[in-house]
Amino acid sequence: MATYVGIAAGHVDPAVAVVHDGSVLAYVEEERLLRYKHAPHRYPVRALRWALRETGVEVSDIDAIAVAWDTDAFADGRIAAFYERLAADYRLDEATRRWQSQKLGSFTTAALQAHHARSWRRLFGEVSVPAVRGVPHHYVHAVQAGLQSGFDECVVLTADGSGDTECTVLWELRDGRLKPLRSITMPHSIGWFYAAITEYLGFHAYGEEYKVMGLAAYGEADAELAEKVARVLQPHPDGISYLLDPRFIHHGRHSHSGRFTDDMTELLGQPPRATGAEITGWHRAVARAAQQAVEDAMCRLVRWAVESTGLRHVAIGGGVANNVKMNAAIGDRSGAVATFAHPMCGDAGAAAGAALALSLEDGYPPEPLAHVALGPGLDEAQVEAELRRIGVAYERVDDPAAHTARELARGAIVGWVDGRMEAGARALGQRSILADPRDESMRDRVNEAVKMREPWRPFCPSIPAEVLGEYVTGNGDQRFMTVAGRATERLRRQAPAVVHVDGTVRAQAVDRSVLPAYHALLTGFGQLTGVPVLLNTSFNLAGEPIVCTVSDALRSFWSSALDMVVFGHFVVRKPLWVPETRSAG
């Protein structure tokens, strides 16, 4: 028996997890507690303090601090030798050399031990800091995605910006063991490619790639542009893999961004979009070409792995797995019969993954993922005490699901706070903004008055799991909004506000046994309207983390056009909320 604390403490999205014998007891990202989006360059002190307090774990109880880096390889010269080979093969720019030097100096076991020890002693005083144990980066993603997928056997794809030396790895999972099948190393990174396109289009890399994915659906096919993009992200001559030409990404002159060179600007033929500038058909076409190139590259790889192994279930991890359209394409075009993408796929989630990997070494494999309600929770006494402390007017309702369903059917936009907050990027009914999806205008109302974000970004539907097939098709696991599906005619007709322009939908299948209160709300709304579907988006305003506490929720509530917020049995509403006149049928 062992208890591990997993810590992600990179340049963005620091997080902490506590894992005991293969079970994640607690997990939270620092941004949710600090209230600073992505919490860049911060040590997760608030997350660490909360996670230990939540689980009752003392520092002396912790067997090791788990980190998702191959610390031995950084220490013994293997990664330094890899960097030397890169320098011999490519014309490295000075920024890349500085990045390599920083990693070599920071990611050894000794360096990380000293780094964590300083932070722990500032937080806890003169304590004996647990030993740091590193786990290879892509293996961490593979353990998390493969062993928590619920598949007995499967192909696992892990893809991100970069791990230790790898950017993409294919694995075979059999009998609880992972075997690497094919590894693609730096500089051939799908994550770097998509980050470059993200910044070329005027968004922020490592945080707004989802905007490119949403924009791609509006782009027109452009054969000339697709050919140019294919010079950056190239099919490999073997017909299976891909190559990224680093001349367009890191190895060259950077007049506009550290993510792409002037060669890419010259290749594409137009200057990069300035942040906030008008989005034209050209920008939409670039997004489409880039998204298509990524889907093609990943589908070729996974198709080869499926055919080579005979395994027809696919699990997907690593930060690139946040691309729900890519995940759907893999399900459609690789020969897979079922796909699962882990909702904690990025490096923040690797805090849990690294600790799970150490538990696996002890003979405790990770449990299949049933939910991600792993963060701070709120009980009724805490909620009421906080509402009284703040001095806000509230009412207590006996049946919050029925009460909220009626208000939603009358046109209210509702903040919904229930239990422990979700891990990962998606709101799944613990910290959600909800609305009636039957009228397309509701999408615009939520966008303009609540989320304050670009009008072309889609919203997601939550649907009871038992009727999901009536509304969404596809072979992806739909529980966590990580794999896009295709809207049925019924969903298009009954809930147009949650269907993207290309007919896709990122749905959440809600299981009664996992989320009983949220399932009851969906069921109640369905009984009133005939449509058991709700528009669901994360409970946060633009540029802010998802809300965590009562105070967070109320700040967003009073700063937006939300009509009411529901904390379990407690309801806070705006005094001027007047329902729209609408039939419930």
Side-chain angles (χ1 to χ4, degrees), residues 193-524:
F193 167 75
Y194 215 81
I197 294 296
T198 298
E199 293 216 347
Y200 179 83
L201 291 174
F203 306 116
H204 297 292
Y206 294 92
E208 294 186 330
E209 281 81 355
Y210 58 88
K211 294 185 179 183
V212 177
M213 181 179 64
L215 189 63
Y218 291 85
E220 297 290 336
D222 184 323
E224 181 182 356
L225 184 56
E227 187 276 330
K228 291 179 178 180
V229 169
R231 290 176 59 187
V232 183
L233 184 64
Q234 307 167 5
H236 194 284
D238 65 11
I240 299 167
S241 192
Y242 66 88
L243 297 170
L244 181 70
D245 190 334
R247 292 177 304 147
F248 299 109
I249 305 300
H250 289 310
H251 304 163
R253 188 163 175 250
H254 297 266
S255 297
H256 302 280
S257 165
R259 305 290 176 189
F260 59 87
T261 68
D262 294 357
D263 285 344
M264 191 167 89
T265 300
E266 183 178 344
L267 171 70
L268 295 179
Q270 289 198 25
R273 172 180 170 264
T275 299
E278 178 188 2
I279 293 175
T280 67
W282 162 257
H283 300 121
R284 291 189 286 270
V286 170
R288 174 174 175 148
Q291 176 67 27
Q292 189 65 53
V294 167
E295 291 178 12
D296 290 347
M298 294 291 96
C299 287
R300 281 196 310 272
L301 279 168
V302 177
R303 187 184 311 114
W304 169 83
V306 168
E307 292 173 354
S308 299
T309 63
L311 299 173
R312 300 189 66 196
H313 292 74
V314 176
I316 310 168
V320 175
N322 279 312
N323 192 312
V324 301
K325 296 290 186 65
M326 178 198 78
N327 299 338
I330 288 171
D332 291 340
R333 296 165 49 195
S334 70
V337 297
T339 53
F340 168 84
H342 202 289
M344 298 161 64
C345 57
D347 284 357
L356 288 170
L358 293 185
S359 278
L360 179 61
E361 289 183 14
D362 296 334
Y364 295 97
E367 299 170 340
L369 196 64
H371 65 85
V372 289
L374 301 168
L378 297 169
D379 62 32
E380 288 205 354
Q382 290 173 321
V383 170
E384 188 163 30
E386 185 68 1
L387 292 174
R388 287 179 172 175
R389 184 190 69 80
I390 294 170
V392 65
Y394 66 91
E395 63 179 308
R396 191 185 192 286
V397 296
D398 292 331
D399 189 341
H403 179 89
T404 306
R406 286 194 296 271
E407 298 295 340
L408 286 163
R410 297 164 66 205
I413 303 175
V414 177
W416 178 265
V417 178
D418 178 39
R420 296 180 71 171
M421 79 173 306
E422 310 93 326
R426 315 296 180 212
L428 300 170
Q430 282 96 14
R431 303 291 187 277
S432 290
I433 290 173
L434 307 174
D436 184 343
R438 295 175 294 160
D439 188 337
E440 235 174 331
S441 66
M442 183 60 80
R443 176 178 59 213
D444 299 330
R445 183 178 159 207
V446 174
N447 249 337
E448 294 170 7
V450 181
K451 296 293 284 187
M452 306 171 195
R453 66 182 198 174
E454 299 87 351
W456 39 263
R457 285 167 55 192
F459 288 114
C460 308
S462 293
I463 305 170
E466 62 271 21
V467 297
L468 179 73
E470 299 175 23
Y471 294 98
V472 182
T473 62
N475 65 10
D477 187 326
Q478 302 281 341
R479 293 174 295 165
F480 303 109
M481 291 187 181
T482 54
V483 183
R486 188 152 294 278
T488 64
E489 179 55 36
R490 183 173 183 178
L491 186 66
R492 291 169 181 260
R493 184 179 69 255
Q494 293 186 347
V498 294
V499 180
H500 201 27
V501 66
D502 59 357
T504 61
V505 60
R506 186 181 68 198
Q508 177 197 8
V510 179
D511 190 309
R512 178 187 287 108
S513 65
V514 175
L515 294 167
Y518 195 37
H519 189 278
L521 174 59
L522 291 165
T523 302

Side-chain angles (χ1 to χ4, degrees), residues 38-273:
H38 299 303
H41 305 291
R42 302 299 182 98
Y43 193 86
V45 291
R46 293 163 184 79
L48 179 58
R49 184 187 292 115
W50 170 81
L52 297 188
R53 184 173 63 243
E54 174 71 15
T55 57
V57 170
E58 302 289 341
V59 172
S60 58
D61 298 329
I62 299 167
D63 290 270
I65 298 170
V67 297
W69 299 103
D70 192 345
T71 55
D72 290 342
F74 276 100
D76 65 17
R78 280 177 286 161
I79 291 181
F82 173 81
Y83 288 162
E84 289 174 7
R85 292 193 296 273
L86 278 183
D89 293 341
Y90 300 100
R91 181 169 55 90
L92 300 186
D93 61 2
E94 191 55 37
T96 299
R97 292 180 183 276
R98 287 196 303 270
W99 176 76
Q100 291 176 347
S101 178
Q102 184 272 330
K103 290 190 75 173
L104 289 171
S106 302
F107 284 16
T108 65
T109 305
L112 285 171
Q113 187 73 49
H115 174 63
H116 289 292
R118 287 191 294 270
S119 297
W120 283 52
R121 288 182 180 132
R122 282 199 299 270
L123 188 58
F124 301 118
E126 195 59 34
V127 296
S128 178
V129 179
V132 170
R133 290 178 59 186
V135 187
H137 191 82
H138 274 262
Y139 178 72
V140 166
H141 286 318
V143 165
Q144 211 168 7
L147 276 78
Q148 289 203 288
S149 66
F151 301 145
D152 293 331
E153 298 178 331
C154 64
V155 167
V156 183
L157 169 70
T158 59
D160 57 15
S162 64
D164 302 304
T165 61
E166 300 92 352
C167 299
T168 299
V169 183
L170 282 164
W171 310 77
E172 178 183 34
L173 175 64
R174 294 185 194 267
D175 300 321
R177 296 178 181 275
L178 285 158
K179 181 177 79 173
L181 299 171
R182 181 182 287 257
S183 177
I184 301 171
T185 58
M186 301 175 195
H188 305 294
S189 168
I190 291 288
W192 290 352
F193 167 75
Y194 215 81
I197 294 296
T198 298
E199 293 216 347
Y200 179 83
L201 291 174
F203 306 116
H204 297 292
Y206 294 92
E208 294 186 330
E209 281 81 355
Y210 58 88
K211 294 185 179 183
V212 177
M213 181 179 64
L215 189 63
Y218 291 85
E220 297 290 336
D222 184 323
E224 181 182 356
L225 184 56
E227 187 276 330
K228 291 179 178 180
V229 169
R231 290 176 59 187
V232 183
L233 184 64
Q234 307 167 5
H236 194 284
D238 65 11
I240 299 167
S241 192
Y242 66 88
L243 297 170
L244 181 70
D245 190 334
R247 292 177 304 147
F248 299 109
I249 305 300
H250 289 310
H251 304 163
R253 188 163 175 250
H254 297 266
S255 297
H256 302 280
S257 165
R259 305 290 176 189
F260 59 87
T261 68
D262 294 357
D263 285 344
M264 191 167 89
T265 300
E266 183 178 344
L267 171 70
L268 295 179
Q270 289 198 25
R273 172 180 170 264

